[in-house]
């Protein structure tokens, strides 16, 4: 097989940041993906429908005239999120749901939720109005090992939520463990998960062996090979509960290569090629279209895209860095060889 044509994909988990960085991040995604779920962890966070629509306008200002790009905005869930705001979100097509960040779990999450249990009244309203809950699933207790944070969050919070609110659509973002695969697989049909290229292509050896690799550092952190293999098996299974979400997260080189580097892999410059690399490595390119272009749209009850994208088999290298108005960014897989490229 020298080429493959798939329905145009969607990215169901994306960070674009704001201001001048949008000049770089938006085109990288808009030229490939039709829809993208845009994360709200700006400073200050995007907590209202009005703020989300304003942010969306700034994003759309960077979309080329020939491009069809439809960002769907996530709102930042806090302890102060009101019933009125949930109803506004339910009525606004361009708002896809609320993002639950445990306080301190990742970049710009200081305003996140401190008590998941206290969210019950809010989740009840979200369930009643059909508003999805997007979850960064990690506990932040200082005594919990960083490699166990996802597992403990599932046991402590997500299983009770899905039992108490069975009609609530819940997306466990950027899953990293076999525990997450088991949870999503065994949960009811309103539960799904997104998968990143880094968690499919790498394990914690790629972060730590031979020295710390800051550009492979993300949260949730890369796990053992056995967990990577469980993720791979789930992605290759054709189970519609698992679909593409890059979690592409840009940080300038200076903020990654420092004594306390930022978490996040900027995969957008080669996102669909990275997924194609993974599926090709497992002789499963026939599974790429459903994973990237069908299952997510179906879960969110959205129409499938009517445009197509062709990938051809050719060897190329991911650029060593991407220049931006705020400084150079080292993309995920920088300098590495890929074997599929958009035509």
């Amino acid at each position: 097989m020298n080429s493959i044509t798939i329905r145009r994909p969607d990215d169901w988990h994306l960070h674009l940041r704001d201001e001048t960085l949008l000049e770089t991040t938006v085109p990288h995604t808009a030229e490939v993906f039709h829809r993208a779920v845009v994360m709200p962890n700006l400073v200050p966070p995007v907590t209202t429908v009005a703020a989300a629509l304003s942010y969306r306008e700034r994003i759309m200002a960077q979309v080329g005239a020939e491009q069809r790009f439809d960002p769907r905005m996530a709102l930042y869930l806090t302890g102060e999120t009101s019933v009125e705001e949930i109803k506004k979100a339910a009525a606004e097509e361009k708002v896809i749901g609320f993002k639950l960040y445990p306080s301190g779990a990742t970049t710009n999450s200081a305003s996140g939720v401190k008590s998941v249990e206290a969210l019950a009244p809010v989740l009840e309203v979200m369930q009643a109005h059909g508003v999805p809950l997007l979850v960064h699933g990690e506990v932040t207790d200082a005594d919990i090992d960083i490699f166990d944070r996802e597992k403990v969050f599932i046991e402590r919070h997500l299983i009770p939520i899905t039992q108490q609110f069975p009609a609530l659509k819940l997306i466990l973002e950027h899953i990293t463990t076999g525990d997450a695969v088991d949870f999503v697989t065994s949960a009811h049909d309103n539960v799904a998960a997104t998968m990143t290229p880094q968690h499919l292509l790498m394990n914690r050896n790629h972060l730590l062996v031979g020295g710390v690799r800051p550009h492979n550092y993300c949260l949730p952190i890369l796990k053992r090979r056995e967990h990577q293999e469980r993720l791979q098996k789930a992605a290759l299974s054709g189970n519609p509960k698992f679909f593409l979400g890059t979690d592409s997260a840009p940080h300038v080189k200076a903020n990654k290569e420092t004594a306390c580097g930022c978490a996040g892999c900027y995969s957008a410059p080669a996102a669909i090629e990275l997924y194609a690399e993974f599926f090709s490595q497992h002789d499963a390119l026939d599974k790429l279209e459903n994973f990237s272009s069908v299952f997510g749209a179906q879960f969110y009850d959205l129409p499938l895209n009517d445009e197509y994208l062709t990938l051809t088999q050719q060897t190329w290298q991911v650029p060593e860095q991407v220049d931006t108005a705020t400084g150079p960014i080292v993309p995920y897989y920088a300098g590495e060889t890929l074997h599929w490229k958009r035509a």
Side-chain angles (χ1 to χ4, degrees):
M1 181 186 296
N2 296 320
S3 69
I4 180 172
T5 297
I6 63 172
R7 194 178 294 272
R8 190 176 175 191
D10 299 304
D11 186 347
W12 299 105
H13 186 117
L14 176 70
H15 298 269
L16 293 172
R17 309 308 183 203
D18 205 355
E19 300 176 341
T20 57
L21 201 51
L22 294 176
E23 298 170 8
T24 301
T25 60
V26 173
H28 278 159
T29 291
E31 67 185 12
V32 179
F33 297 95
H34 174 50
R35 287 172 293 230
V37 175
V38 180
M39 295 295 107
N41 56 331
L42 304 182
V43 179
V46 180
T47 58
T48 67
V49 171
L53 295 180
S54 176
Y55 181 27
R56 189 176 189 276
E57 288 180 3
R58 299 194 296 277
I59 293 167
M60 294 304 295
Q62 302 300 327
V63 177
E66 74 288 354
Q67 294 173 330
R68 293 176 59 197
F69 183 53
D70 183 13
R72 300 297 175 106
M73 314 306 292
L75 300 187
Y76 198 115
L77 188 65
T78 75
E80 288 72 48
T81 298
S82 68
V83 170
E84 291 72 22
E85 205 62 44
I86 295 170
K87 292 179 178 179
K88 288 179 184 177
E92 175 51 61
E93 177 189 22
K94 300 306 181 184
V95 171
I96 202 155
F98 282 84
K99 179 65 181 285
L100 191 167
Y101 290 104
S103 181
T106 189
T107 302
N108 299 337
S109 62
S111 300
V113 171
K114 293 180 172 61
S115 172
V116 175
E117 290 77 13
L119 291 175
V122 169
L123 299 182
E124 185 172 1
V125 176
M126 289 175 62
Q127 175 177 251
H129 289 272
V131 178
L133 177 69
L134 291 66
V135 180
H136 182 117
E138 292 187 287
V139 297
T140 57
D141 309 51
D143 61 333
I144 302 296
D145 190 291
I146 191 170
F147 293 101
D148 295 329
R149 286 180 169 187
E150 184 174 84
K151 177 180 185 293
V152 173
F153 190 93
I154 290 168
E155 295 170 349
R156 187 181 294 176
H157 301 301
L158 290 190
I159 291 174
I161 286 175
T162 56
Q163 292 172 344
Q164 187 174 358
F165 304 103
L168 175 68
K169 278 189 178 290
L170 186 150
I171 304 88
L172 182 53
E173 304 281 14
H174 43 50
I175 62 171
T176 66
T177 62
D179 307 279
V181 171
D182 291 339
F183 164 71
V184 173
T185 303
S186 62
H188 53 65
D189 289 344
N190 286 323
V191 174
T194 57
M195 291 180 160
T196 75
Q198 63 265 27
H199 290 107
L200 290 171
L201 290 167
M202 291 183 174
N203 57 64
R204 67 187 189 181
N205 280 357
H206 298 90
L207 174 65
L208 299 171
V209 171
V212 176
R213 313 291 180 176
H215 301 288
N216 293 341
Y217 173 53
C218 58
L219 289 173
I221 199 165
L222 296 169
K223 304 299 195 299
R224 289 180 179 273
R225 183 189 302 275
E226 64 194 63
H227 288 293
Q228 178 195 15
E229 291 172 347
R230 291 292 311 282
L231 298 180
Q232 292 174 337
K233 185 177 180 180
L236 296 166
S237 70
N239 186 329
K241 288 187 165 200
F242 301 99
F243 45 82
L244 185 155
T246 64
D247 193 24
S248 180
H251 294 284
V252 296
K253 182 177 180 180
N255 290 339
K256 291 285 286 181
E257 298 179 5
T258 183
C260 188
C262 297
C265 298
Y266 186 50
S267 57
I272 195 62
E273 290 91 344
L274 287 162
Y275 285 107
E277 187 77 12
F278 162 70
F279 281 97
S280 178
Q281 288 175 357
H282 294 269
D283 297 319
L285 272 173
D286 59 313
K287 303 289 182 65
L288 175 63
E289 183 176 47
N290 280 339
F291 180 85
S292 64
S293 314
V294 177
F295 293 156
Q298 290 177 337
F299 182 80
Y300 279 109
D301 298 318
L302 293 170
L304 301 184
N305 297 325
D306 57 7
E307 297 178 318
Y308 289 82
L309 176 151
T310 297
L311 294 156
T312 60
Q313 193 170 25
Q314 57 177 300
T315 300
W316 65 289
Q317 285 188 319
V318 178
E320 293 285 353
Q321 71 176 37
V322 174
D323 293 326
T324 80
T326 57
I329 293 174
V330 176
Y332 175 65
Y333 240 58
E336 298 292 331
T337 299
L338 295 174
H339 300 89
W340 292 87
K341 190 169 179 60
R342 283 177 288 119

